[in-house]
């Protein structure tokens, strides 16, 4: 996995920009000895913004960009001159990226569509200059607001692939073979377990130039929801699929029991997966005759539509595409309107090597000590002390 370009879990450190301090400048000109306060406002700090990019399929760029810092706002100056706003930082991420707090595991936000922008960290507001605080009883206010401090947060970005159909099954169930038969994808196929080490996407062509996306997820084994095998690492991608295609080989000892095991692992990982529409495909059916197919049909779950297929001979593949297309286009199954409850990160759902990553110590500017640590102050509030105000020349 270390040599793979597919990265779906990364930990980064973000810091928004601090707001610039307001100026406490006084206007002075020849023949105008009492010009009054004219200190300008400070500029706001830069935001950290996540933007969906449909051309990205991995979080690999962020693997080598661990620190993302926005620009600081500049201080105001005389003549009611406002400080320059800090530069925003826009980070492109693949569609389907979910953000969690790295410390608490709390869900923060997600980016699901191309061009969608989500403000991850808000830049600090700039402080008000002293001209805001002049009044009939206070004509020479010698104070101004400091800017808000920067916001620093360590976050985990988790990618959940967007696909119409997700393949679910035990190792060697024929998932990769089916994907290669229905699409132009060429996943690795071999006769040993866990051949697929990372999710694979393929576009399946349908009638009248229509198509849908199918995702091949690494094999799931019993106990995957508790960390066994590779299933836990990639079960998150199934949450984004509109339809789940369960694949169980025809030579299984008990197809119904295997289906119950797979279904149980998904429910343990995220109970909401129980509500997703599903189809049961009996793979490797080219070894069965009509009599065996009838006998097996009697033992299958009644509540799930099933179909017998063979990716090698092409048996039942056209019927399978028809069945999947009808499920995908059901109004209740569309990805765009299907709400997803993202479970918080816990010990079972974290990637150890990322959580143990230690960021390089990048100290905040010493000027941050001059900013108030209160995100709820109002723009109309004023401060009557001088010691906490950003220093400015008084001419």
């Amino acid at each position: 996995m270390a040599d793979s370009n597919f990265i779906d879990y990364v930990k980064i450190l973000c810091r928004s920009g601090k707001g610039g301090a307001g100026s406490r400048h006084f206007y002075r000109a020849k023949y105008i000895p009492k010009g009054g306060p004219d200190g300008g406002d400070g500029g706001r700090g830069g935001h950290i913004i996540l933007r969906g990019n449909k051309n990205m399929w991995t979080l690999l760029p962020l693997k080598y960009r661990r620190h993302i810092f926005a620009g600081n706002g500049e201080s105001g100056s005389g003549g009611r001159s406002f400080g320059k706003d800090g530069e925003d930082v826009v980070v492109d991420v693949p569609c389907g990226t979910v953000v969690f707090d790295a410390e608490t595991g709390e869900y923060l936000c997600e980016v699901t569509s191309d061009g969608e922008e989500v403000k991850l960290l808000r830049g600090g507001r700039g402080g008000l200059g002293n001209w805001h605080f002049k009044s009939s009883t206070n004509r020479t206010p010698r104070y101004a607001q400091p800017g808000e401090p920067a916001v620093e947060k360590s976050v985990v970005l988790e990618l959940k692939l967007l696909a119409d159909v997700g393949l679910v099954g035990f190792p060697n169930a024929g998932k990769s073979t089916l994907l290669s038969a229905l699409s132009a994808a060429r996943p690795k196929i071999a006769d040993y377990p866990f051949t697929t080490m990372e999710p694979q996407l393929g576009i399946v062509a349908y009638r009248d130039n229509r198509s849908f996306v199918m995702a091949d997820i690494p094999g799931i084994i019993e106990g995957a929801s508790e960390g066994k095998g590779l299933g836990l690492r990639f079960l998150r991608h199934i949450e984004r699929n509109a339809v789940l295609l369960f694949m169980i080989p025809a030579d299984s000892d008990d197809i119904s029991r295997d289906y119950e095991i797979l279904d149980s692992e998904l429910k343990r990982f995220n109970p909401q997966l129980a509500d997703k529409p599903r189809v049961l495909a009996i793979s490797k059916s080219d070894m069965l005759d009509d009599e065996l197919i009838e006998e097996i049909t009697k033992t299958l779950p009644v509540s799930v539509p099933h179909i017998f297929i063979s990716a090698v001979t092409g048996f039942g593949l056209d019927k399978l595409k028809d069945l999947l297309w009808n499920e995908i286009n059901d109004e209740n199954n569309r990805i765009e309107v299907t709400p997803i409850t993202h479970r918080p990160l816990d010990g079972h759902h974290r990637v150890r090597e990322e959580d143990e990553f230690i960021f390089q110590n990048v100290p905040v500017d010493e000027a941050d000590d001059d900013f108030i640590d209160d995100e709820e102050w109002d723009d109309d509030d004023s401060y009557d002390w001088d010691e906490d105000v950003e220093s400015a020349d008084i001419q």
Side-chain angles (χ1 to χ4, degrees):
M1 294 301 296
D3 298 332
S4 173
N5 287 331
F6 181 78
I7 303 297
D8 61 352
Y9 188 105
V10 66
K11 178 182 177 182
I12 61 175
L13 179 66
C14 299
R15 183 192 300 161
S16 64
K18 61 185 179 182
S23 172
R24 50 178 190 169
H25 185 272
F26 289 87
Y27 180 74
R28 290 292 184 269
K30 191 175 183 180
Y31 307 120
I32 307 179
K34 297 181 180 180
D38 69 344
D41 301 345
R44 70 158 177 83
H47 304 311
I48 303 293
I49 300 174
L50 300 181
R51 180 174 59 193
N53 187 339
K54 65 180 180 181
N55 297 318
M56 294 182 65
W57 62 280
T58 175
L59 295 172
L60 181 65
L62 294 176
K63 186 81 171 180
Y64 305 101
R65 189 187 176 189
R66 298 287 189 169
H67 300 89
I68 300 178
F69 299 152
N72 295 327
E74 295 183 358
S75 299
S77 56
R80 296 188 183 181
S81 297
F82 290 7
K84 182 180 178 181
D85 291 342
E87 184 178 359
D88 297 335
V89 175
V90 179
V91 182
D92 285 336
V93 295
C95 298
T97 300
V98 185
V99 185
F100 298 92
D101 189 312
E103 302 298 329
T104 64
E106 177 187 3
Y107 163 76
L108 299 178
C109 62
E110 64 178 332
V111 181
T112 58
S113 59
D114 182 51
E116 178 185 2
E117 293 188 353
V118 177
K119 190 180 297 181
L120 179 60
L121 293 183
R122 169 181 163 275
R125 287 177 291 183
L128 301 180
N130 63 344
W131 72 278
H132 284 278
F133 308 119
K134 64 181 180 181
S135 66
S136 59
T137 58
N138 186 11
R139 299 191 177 189
T140 57
R142 297 179 179 271
Y143 50 83
Q145 281 183 338
E148 283 187 316
V151 179
E152 183 175 284
K153 186 181 290 292
S154 176
V155 298
V156 168
L157 301 183
E158 191 179 66
L159 175 61
K160 299 180 180 181
L161 292 180
L162 290 167
D164 299 304
V165 180
L167 299 178
V168 181
F170 292 109
N172 283 354
K175 301 185 299 298
S176 298
T177 305
L178 177 64
L179 183 65
S180 64
L182 295 179
S183 70
R186 291 295 176 263
K188 184 177 180 180
I189 300 174
D191 58 352
Y192 54 84
F194 296 110
T195 307
T196 302
M197 299 295 291
E198 61 187 42
Q200 301 286 336
L201 290 178
I203 299 178
V204 180
Y206 193 61
R207 299 187 181 94
D208 301 328
N209 294 323
R210 294 174 292 182
S211 63
F212 58 89
V213 181
M214 179 176 288
D216 178 18
I217 310 298
I220 299 173
I221 63 174
E222 188 172 3
S225 60
E226 299 175 358
K228 295 182 180 180
L230 294 176
L232 177 66
R233 176 74 183 269
F234 300 107
L235 278 175
R236 67 176 72 101
H237 299 290
I238 300 177
E239 294 179 316
R240 291 287 189 194
N241 304 150
V243 178
L244 302 181
L245 177 58
F246 287 76
M247 292 191 62
I248 300 177
D251 57 357
S252 172
D253 295 334
D254 191 338
I255 296 178
S256 296
R257 180 180 179 278
D258 290 347
Y259 172 79
E260 292 176 358
I261 292 175
L262 294 173
D263 182 53
S264 176
E265 293 300 325
L266 296 186
K267 291 179 180 179
R268 291 178 184 176
F269 180 79
N270 187 344
Q272 192 179 15
L273 293 176
D275 300 329
K276 284 189 175 293
R278 53 194 61 197
V279 175
L280 176 60
I282 312 302
S283 61
K284 306 179 183 180
S285 296
D286 53 312
M287 65 179 67
L288 303 177
D289 55 22
D290 294 340
E291 184 178 352
L292 285 175
I293 291 178
E294 292 180 2
E295 292 296 328
I296 294 177
T297 302
K298 298 177 182 179
T299 64
L300 299 179
V302 180
S303 59
V304 181
H306 64 271
I307 186 172
F308 291 84
I309 64 171
S310 173
V312 176
T313 64
F315 170 70
L317 295 188
D318 290 337
K319 294 182 179 179
L320 175 63
K321 289 194 288 186
D322 291 337
L323 182 58
L324 293 176
W325 182 262
N326 292 333
E327 291 289 340
I328 293 170
N329 288 276
D330 189 324
E331 293 183 356
N332 298 324
N333 301 340
R334 295 184 182 274
I335 296 179
E336 295 82 7
V337 298
T338 302
I340 298 177
T341 303
H342 300 282
R343 77 286 176 276
L345 291 178
D346 55 27
H348 290 301
H349 302 103
R350 291 179 177 266
V351 179
R352 179 176 300 177
E353 58 268 25
E354 285 294 319
D355 288 338
E356 294 178 352
F357 181 85
I358 301 177
F359 295 109
Q360 180 182 358
N361 185 20
V362 181
V364 183
D365 295 341
E366 295 180 359
D368 282 346
D369 295 337
D370 297 329
F371 294 92
I372 57 175
D373 188 14
D374 182 6
E375 298 183 358
E376 301 299 332
W377 57 270
D378 190 275
D379 288 345
D380 295 333
D381 292 345
S382 61
Y383 296 86
D384 295 334
W385 57 86
D386 293 337
E387 57 271 22
D388 290 335
V389 178
E390 180 76 0
S391 60
D393 294 335
I394 303 179
Q395 300 179 357

